[in-house]
Amino acid sequence: MKTTFQNITGTFDILPDTYDADGTAVPSAAAWQHVEATVRDVMARFHAQEIRTPILEPTELVARGVGMLTDIVSKEMFAFERGDVHYVLRPEVTAPVMRAYLQHRLDQRGGVQRLYYIGPCFRAERPQKGRYRQFHQFGAELIGAEDARADAEVIALMLAVYRAFGLEAVTLRLNTLGDAGSRPRYKEALQAYFAPYTADLSETSRRRLQTNPLRLLDTKDEKERRLLDGAPVLLDFIDPESRAHYETLKGLLDDLGIAYVEDPFLVRGLDYYTRTAFELESPDLGAQSALAGGGRYDLLACELGSDEPVPAVGFAAGIERLFIALAAQGTALPGPAPPDAFLVALGDEAARYVFRLAQELRAAGLRVAFDLKGRSMKAQMREANRQNAPYTVIIGQDELAARRAQVKAMDTGMQAGVAFDDLAAYLKGPVPART
Ligand code: AMP
């Protein structure tokens, strides 16, 4: 069959079966459901409750929330306008969650809000393995607590998700960014340090040195990385309260037996972080090594118009990258679920009965499939096999007359006559073992 249309580069279809897209396996819809169910299960253990915000948000929310100088806002937004309204396809979910928190006065629910989300995000990046234009994130936000235990809990929650998938070979990198005052002081120090080397910097880095010098810290350029060895470190510019908070956090992580690597150059690409910043890496991801990242963002609420800061900490994780890491460690994922039974009809009259029977069995809670193309018995049996149905229920003229179907257990080939009225109960029962 011919088609004129293809999905947009950097997006992909999720199909009933796993398939290959440009050398990367796109897992089956059942595998996606399994991942989502596991994430929900872990979230529930931490008593995080789901929040669903729209895909469309006001562009201004993302511009202010994520930060004008970030790559996301300056070059990766899918934004458009209709009339006077400026829309953006959400590139991340933290700013939308904070918007919803403020808008609906979720603080009035009392205590700390432990919220989680799962859903698509959109960034106009150059597509490659592990980097897409529509991708999927899950994440959690703990809103309302300044306590370093909130930071430790978010990190523990994030790790618990990966552990639930048996992914243990991950590296947690940790840093503190200090309060709002720390970074301007540090930025100046960085600018002063790099000033004599301007000629050695790439054009992008030269621009960043002026606009957002922290971005130089995650440069991939070898020469620039060597320059970083002598560069000032953020930790030396941090206010005493943030330092104490960081020390407490590290102590809590030690209490939980969570290993981390301190990385003074970890700043993350989003502007809204204060104090804690962390990233989770997997050796299986290649260039796109980050499975997840997060941090504390006490000032985001103010960026969004709140007259007081709202202490909050969260993480966001990419589902596609989780799948890549799972594939690398050879984790088997579920494929499409088989029906409980495949109904096989011989002849028009039987086909008519099978159509009605399917309805009855489905109403009784069974998963039932049957042929809709009037194919031969052999083709119907092949289809039942292909779908991995444990039973086929075969009905022809004789069975109609006796009101008894031939039920074949596909695994053993054993066949039994079962009265039409008993079919639902029989199919729900255990598949008879080979004798
Ligand atoms: P960020 O919001 O940039 O911190 O991203 C959080 C996580 O989302 C990353 O660690 C990745 O796992 C995932 N992620 C971010 N951008 C993309 C993308 N373009 N394609 C696939 N996954 C992404």
Side-chain angles (χ1 to χ4, degrees), residues 72 91-92 123 125 130-137 162 268-270 272-273 279-280 285 290-294 316-322:
I72 293 182
E92 55 94 64
R123 296 183 194 173
E125 301 194 85
R131 179 174 289 193
Y132 310 96
R133 296 193 147 190
Q134 174 171 345
F135 59 100
H136 299 78
Q137 285 190 340
Y162 291 95
R268 314 224 346 101
L270 299 88
Y272 50 58
Y273 291 108
E279 224 159 62
L280 193 69
L285 291 180
L291 280 171
I319 299 186
E320 289 78 6
R321 296 201 192 162
L322 168 62

Side-chain angles (χ1 to χ4, degrees), residues 112-371:
V112 173
Q113 299 305 307
R114 292 177 169 87
L115 303 171
Y116 85 89
Y117 57 82
I118 306 182
C121 294
F122 304 83
R123 296 183 194 173
E125 301 194 85
R126 196 168 56 80
Q128 52 190 288
K129 185 170 178 174
R131 179 174 289 193
Y132 310 96
R133 296 193 147 190
Q134 174 171 345
F135 59 100
H136 299 78
Q137 285 190 340
F138 61 88
E141 316 289 357
L142 260 63
I143 309 181
E146 213 169 328
D147 199 305
R149 280 179 300 170
D151 307 55
E153 188 179 341
V154 158
I155 291 174
L157 165 53
M158 174 181 77
L159 290 169
V161 174
Y162 291 95
R163 181 160 313 138
F165 290 105
L167 268 182
E168 309 264 1
V170 290
T171 306
L172 174 65
R173 294 196 297 131
L174 191 64
N175 194 17
T176 180
L177 306 179
D179 65 5
S182 313
R183 271 187 282 179
R185 285 197 300 274
Y186 181 54
K187 282 179 185 172
E188 279 174 27
L190 269 184
Q191 279 166 336
Y193 171 78
F194 277 108
Y197 305 113
T198 322
D200 300 329
L201 299 179
S202 69
E203 200 187 312
T204 317
S205 293
R206 265 203 299 272
R207 202 177 51 243
R208 284 179 173 162
L209 190 58
Q210 296 315 316
T211 55
N212 195 3
L214 290 186
R215 292 300 314 279
L216 283 180
L217 301 181
D218 49 35
T219 177
K220 301 279 183 283
D221 182 280
E222 266 310 309
K223 208 162 72 199
E224 294 180 3
R225 288 200 77 87
R226 273 199 301 278
L227 277 179
L228 276 178
D229 284 342
V233 282
L234 180 52
L235 201 55
D236 295 332
F237 295 78
I238 298 293
D239 57 294
E241 292 79 17
S242 296
R243 234 171 214 283
H245 191 271
Y246 186 50
E247 291 306 318
T248 311
L249 169 61
K250 288 191 288 179
L252 291 166
L253 293 176
D254 293 340
D255 287 351
L256 298 180
I258 292 174
Y260 53 84
V261 176
E262 286 184 79
D263 179 349
F265 292 137
L266 174 69
V267 289
R268 314 224 346 101
L270 299 88
D271 266 1
Y272 50 58
Y273 291 108
T274 45
R275 297 191 170 171
T276 312
F278 57 86
E279 224 159 62
L280 193 69
E281 286 186 349
S282 162
D284 298 322
L285 291 180
Q288 308 304 322
S289 62
L291 280 171
R296 176 166 280 284
Y297 51 94
D298 297 351
L299 299 177
L300 174 60
C302 296
E303 286 298 326
L304 305 187
S306 165
D307 40 20
E308 47 198 288
V310 176
V313 56
F315 81 89
I319 299 186
E320 289 78 6
R321 296 201 192 162
L322 168 62
F323 274 125
I324 294 172
L326 289 176
Q329 72 165 23
T331 304
L333 290 166
D340 295 316
F342 192 97
L343 312 185
V344 174
L346 310 176
D348 290 346
E349 212 181 321
R352 186 144 186 200
Y353 181 74
V354 153
F355 188 66
R356 221 176 71 204
L357 178 63
Q359 182 77 350
E360 278 168 26
L361 295 175
R362 287 165 175 172
L366 286 152
R367 306 167 189 214
V368 172
F370 61 93
D371 172 62

